[in-house]
Amino acid sequence: MDTLKDKLKSGKFVITAEIAPPVSCDPADLMSKALPLKGLADAVNVTDGAGARAHLGAVAAASILLQDGIEPILQFTCRDRNRIALQSDLLAAAALGIRNLLLLKGDDPKAGDQPDAKPVFDYDTVTLTKVAVAIRDKSELPSGRKVAGRAHFFIAAADVPIDPPAGWEPKGLKDKIAAGSEFVQTQFCLDAGVVRRYMARLAEHGVRLPFLIGVSPLRSAKSARWIRERLYGTIIPDATIARLEAAADPAAEGRKLCLDLMRELAAIPGVAGVHIMAPGNEAAIADVIRDASALKLRAAR
């Protein structure tokens, strides 16, 4: 079976999805979220303490998905672990057969439900990427100790598309690429024009990694405003919100808007696919992917 890495190399328009592991000790609760995506999403992200709140651990969740035939993307934050714990969990992920990693800083604990929690941030994402690459390519920890066995990591960076002003350069992203990032998943950007200009500027600076642009089947204008106001870096045009407000069935209109956007994004060079996120509306993701299959999208070359 082709892996996510294989699909990105093939030119297929890739669709990944995202779920937050439940606040549960029961694997069935996780799978009730994940199974509707089996055979539809090319891979499924499992978040790591999203919103700075405790959930079922991401390494365990990714392993459970893998055992059930769903290719996971393990989100891995720097917030909660020191370097020893991060290195140990990378080894654990490799031992469990987890390949895909999205390395993140992590939300500030002050934004969560336990604001007195102490953040760690012993590593930043660039350093963590270098460590994962060294484990994979050199079988070595930063201390110089050798690692037995093999890691087959395929490493993603997170990014936030912008409408680039004159003189802007993608310095942070280029640092992540230099450290070893191999593909990119982005924050919500529901404006194809912004994506087109952003990708063109990245190409001018030699950035040519596969990008999966963050999109969403918005369920209402209220939900769209909440996402835009609360989630850093989100771009949702006023026109999109106006369409949702005017729609007789806002959820259906949100799914249509998502499909229309996917069609536009597929024509933009550098966009290899989309990453579908739907806070509070995860059940809609499978319907959108199912409908998107009829579009027979291919990534622009």
Side-chain angles (χ1 to χ4, degrees), residues 154-205:
F154 184 46
I155 302 168
D159 193 36
V160 179
I162 61 169
D163 211 342
W168 176 85
E169 296 183 19
K171 293 179 181 177
L173 181 58
K174 291 185 80 171
D175 287 344
K176 294 177 184 178
I177 294 168
S181 297
E182 299 165 276
F183 71 107
V184 176
Q185 291 182 310
T186 82
Q187 180 57 289
F188 296 103
C189 188
L190 277 58
D191 187 324
V194 169
V195 174
R196 189 174 295 107
R197 293 187 290 274
Y198 185 66
M199 297 306 301
R201 184 68 65 84
L202 291 179
E204 290 174 6
H205 287 278

Side-chain angles (χ1 to χ4, degrees), residues 218-233:
L218 298 166
R219 61 180 173 178
S220 67
K222 180 180 178 181
S223 175
R225 288 194 185 93
W226 186 93
I227 292 170
R228 188 167 70 175
E229 292 168 5
R230 299 291 185 89
L231 301 182
Y232 170 77

Side-chain angles (χ1 to χ4, degrees), residues 15-38:
I15 300 176
T16 59
E18 182 169 297
I19 60 172
V23 185
S24 174
C25 304
D26 188 344
D29 292 331
L30 171 69
M31 294 313 299
S32 68
K33 291 184 165 198
L35 280 175
L37 301 170
K38 186 173 182 177

Side-chain angles (χ1 to χ4, degrees), residues 138-158:
K138 299 179 181 178
S139 297
E140 188 174 278
L141 295 175
S143 65
R145 292 171 63 200
K146 288 299 180 181
V147 175
R150 290 297 308 278
H152 299 280
F153 296 142
F154 184 46
I155 302 168

Side-chain angles (χ1 to χ4, degrees), residues 57-173:
V59 175
S63 178
I64 292 167
L65 261 60
L66 191 60
Q67 291 170 26
D68 278 275
I70 299 171
E71 184 171 2
I73 299 174
L74 171 60
Q75 295 190 188
F76 214 70
T77 72
C78 299
R79 177 192 58 226
D80 303 320
R81 312 166 182 88
N82 68 11
R83 65 189 64 193
I84 296 170
L86 286 167
Q87 292 165 29
S88 297
D89 280 353
L90 284 171
L91 299 182
L96 292 166
I98 297 165
R99 297 169 178 260
N100 307 311
L101 306 175
L102 174 61
L103 305 181
L104 303 165
K105 179 181 178 182
D107 298 317
D108 190 324
K110 289 184 175 60
D113 58 356
Q114 300 181 69
D116 293 332
K118 294 180 180 179
V120 181
F121 300 123
D122 195 16
Y123 279 161
D124 59 20
T125 52
V126 170
T127 305
L128 184 56
T129 300
K130 291 177 180 177
V131 171
V133 169
I135 290 171
R136 182 192 65 196
D137 295 350
K138 299 179 181 178
S139 297
E140 188 174 278
L141 295 175
S143 65
R145 292 171 63 200
K146 288 299 180 181
V147 175
R150 290 297 308 278
H152 299 280
F153 296 142
F154 184 46
I155 302 168
D159 193 36
V160 179
I162 61 169
D163 211 342
W168 176 85
E169 296 183 19
K171 293 179 181 177
L173 181 58

